[in-house]
Amino acid sequence: MSLVVAKFGGTSVADFSAMNRCADIILANSNTRVVVVSASSGVTNLLVELTQANVNDQRRMALLTQIAQVQYDIVDKLERPQDVAATIDKLLSRMSVLSDELVLDRSKAIIDELLSMGEQCSSLLFSAVIRQKGTPSSAFDVRQVLRTDSHFGRAEPQIESIASLAAEHLAPLLNEQVIVTQGFIGADSEGRTTTLGRGGSDYSAALLAEALKADAVEIWTDVAGIYTTDPRLAPNARPIPEISFNEAAEMATFGAKVLHPATILPAVRQKIQVFVGSSKAPEQGGTWIRHQVEEVPVFRAVALRRDQTLLNLHSLQMLHAQGFLAETFATLAKHKISVDLITTSEVNVSLTLDKTGSDSSGQGLLSESLLQELSQHCRVRVEDNLALVAIIGNKIASTAGICSRVFSVLENHNVRMICQGASPHNLCVLVAESEAADVVNSLHQNLFE
Ligand code: ADP
Ligand code: ASP
Ligand code: MG
């Protein structure tokens, strides 16, 4: 029998009627045996606010009440609320205890346990909705199988352990029922709850599909597939019926929020096809991400990643010397920061930082200690309010005329940095945040409309 892992994002499990629509999608395909859910829409944001150091008691109470309301709105609509109400109450009181504890102890382990609560609630409720439709289903605690390291807020999955734990604890359950489990969260070897970083549920689904050797992963969201650019930014954006793993990975890396950047890795390792579609309009179809695709256009899509930080490093030591970059990269690696784009000149290096590495509670990447360490061997200047626009496609580095076409569109914009050539699949420009939407729209109009 083939196996499909289906993931439903926050808006897809926002409330009772959204969950019902998604249950119908699951029940329409008997191969869908594993369902991965996000927290109901907005809940993780509320939990993130709850973990911030500066929330006062009054606001804390208000946040807890708002989170509880989302859960009770769903519980109240169930035919058998008594099946889940006690567990939901337990989770809600645990949230309250954890948020109290955070006042005294700002431990990252406590923060992650608190952030995991949205998915714990939504999985329990969604499983009840499926049962209500007459199909056996239970909620499964993903922490039994999704083993990670102990890097709270941005934990690294341990692929081999996940495969053996899933074979032992999860696979045997799949013949009899639909298993609903949590995205975004995992546990370290001591059983402490960890999180994979914001938007991590897509990644969880792909990791479980890899571990269970599934045939496909379905990502059900609020848009009917991957579009030529974010349809919220450009009303004329069109869905892409089929796209290669390479192109999709570049899109996700460069900001197409529809997929978490790491989602494609497990799919590539196991050659698992990925489908992206809308849970509100499944009949519209969506995008298939595959190893081989029929059409390989030069221009496939435009992606936007906001909120970029540019680090300018200046040092006379760089002149005819060796080892400056090695030293800089070692310092960044020590602080668990991966570099994104880089350009160099005689005595300057400019690099952008990869925000996808920032942690679930939204803590910034640039700590005081990192800046101090870098300042010991060079002059550091930090520029904010930048956005990265990436043109994604094929043979970009080896097709004549691409740059002139792109730069003619950008002639009225100040381009702060350009990167092209490392990959045949992208050309990136860094522009002021305030111009980003305009730049995306102009590029989209010129290249796709
Ligand atoms: P979910 O909660 O289901 O994980 P997300 O909000 O994380 O959903 O991702 C879906 C959103 O991604 C869409 O609403 C859309 O605005 C955004 N997005 C950005 N780029 C693209 C793109 N190229 N194609 C489709 N959606 C995109
Ligand atoms: N609930 C988490 C978040 O909002 C994970 C996810 O939705 O993918 O980031
Ligand atoms: Mg998402």
Side-chain angles (χ1 to χ4, degrees), residues 7 9-10 221-223 225-227 229-232 251 256-258:
K7 176 260 171 178
T221 180
D222 58 0
V223 279
I226 301 181
Y227 282 57
T229 193
D230 187 343
R232 284 177 213 260
M251 283 188 75
K257 187 177 168 240
V258 63

Side-chain angles (χ1 to χ4, degrees), residues 162-226:
I162 297 172
S164 61
L165 290 166
E168 187 183 343
H169 300 293
L170 186 52
L173 307 176
L174 304 182
N175 289 332
E176 319 274 298
Q177 55 187 328
V178 173
I179 289 294
V180 181
T181 195
Q182 307 81 32
F184 179 55
I185 76 174
D188 70 2
S189 57
E190 291 173 39
R192 294 175 298 178
T193 303
T194 55
T195 61
L196 304 179
R198 292 305 304 268
S201 297
D202 304 326
Y203 190 22
S204 305
L207 287 165
L208 292 177
E210 177 182 34
L212 295 165
K213 300 194 171 47
D215 302 275
V217 183
E218 295 174 354
I219 305 286
W220 293 99
T221 180
D222 58 0
V223 279
I226 301 181

Side-chain angles (χ1 to χ4, degrees), residues 99 104 158 163 183 193 225 288 294 390 393:
S99 82
L104 298 173
Q158 315 278 289
T193 303
W288 279 102
E294 281 189 7

Side-chain angles (χ1 to χ4, degrees), residues 38-295:
S38 293
S40 300
S41 184
V43 169
T44 308
N45 287 348
L46 296 171
L47 288 166
V48 167
E49 192 181 340
L50 201 56
T51 64
Q52 305 300 305
N54 56 357
V55 274
N56 61 33
D57 282 353
Q58 197 187 1
R59 181 69 190 143
R60 255 178 346 114
M61 292 316 294
L63 288 166
L64 287 165
T65 308
Q66 218 176 323
I67 294 167
Q69 198 54 54
V70 175
Q71 319 308 326
Y72 288 137
D73 279 351
I74 301 171
V75 173
D76 290 346
K77 296 202 175 73
L78 291 170
E79 277 162 19
R80 293 179 52 82
Q82 65 274 27
D83 289 354
V84 290
T87 318
I88 290 290
D89 281 342
K90 240 190 205 97
L91 290 168
L92 290 169
S93 44
R94 182 79 187 137
M95 276 180 226
S96 167
V97 169
L98 290 167
S99 82
D100 280 346
E101 280 179 20
L102 265 185
V103 176
L104 298 173
D105 173 9
R106 298 207 41 77
S107 128
K108 291 194 161 181
I110 300 180
I111 292 179
D112 265 10
E113 191 183 340
L114 192 47
L115 292 180
S116 77
M117 291 292 171
E119 270 74 7
Q120 292 196 56
C121 290
S122 61
S123 51
L124 196 71
L125 295 169
F126 193 36
S127 177
V129 171
I130 295 175
R131 279 198 303 278
Q132 188 160 312
K133 288 184 176 276
T135 297
S137 171
S138 28
F140 175 83
D141 189 338
V142 84
R143 292 170 294 183
Q144 286 186 57
V145 300
L146 211 134
R147 176 67 55 79
T148 68
D149 66 6
S150 305
H151 192 171
F152 297 103
R154 186 167 36 114
E156 218 26 76
Q158 315 278 289
I159 310 300
E160 282 170 17
S161 303
I162 297 172
S164 61
L165 290 166
E168 187 183 343
H169 300 293
L170 186 52
L173 307 176
L174 304 182
N175 289 332
E176 319 274 298
Q177 55 187 328
V178 173
I179 289 294
V180 181
T181 195
Q182 307 81 32
F184 179 55
I185 76 174
D188 70 2
S189 57
E190 291 173 39
R192 294 175 298 178
T193 303
T194 55
T195 61
L196 304 179
R198 292 305 304 268
S201 297
D202 304 326
Y203 190 22
S204 305
L207 287 165
L208 292 177
E210 177 182 34
L212 295 165
K213 300 194 171 47
D215 302 275
V217 183
E218 295 174 354
I219 305 286
W220 293 99
T221 180
D222 58 0
V223 279
I226 301 181
Y227 282 57
T228 45
T229 193
D230 187 343
R232 284 177 213 260
L233 275 179
N236 291 330
R238 325 183 282 271
I240 302 166
E242 199 189 39
I243 187 170
S244 69
F245 280 136
N246 282 335
E247 295 166 290
E250 295 276 352
M251 283 188 75
T253 303
F254 287 106
K257 187 177 168 240
V258 63
L259 280 185
H260 181 276
T263 314
I264 299 298
L265 298 171
V268 170
R269 286 193 293 257
Q270 281 288 330
K271 291 209 169 66
I272 304 171
Q273 316 189 59
V274 181
F275 172 81
V276 182
S278 161
S279 68
K280 285 190 188 133
E283 72 288 349
Q284 284 182 17
T287 302
W288 279 102
I289 310 171
R290 298 193 165 108
H291 195 58
Q292 293 276 333
V293 293
E294 281 189 7
E295 223 194 300

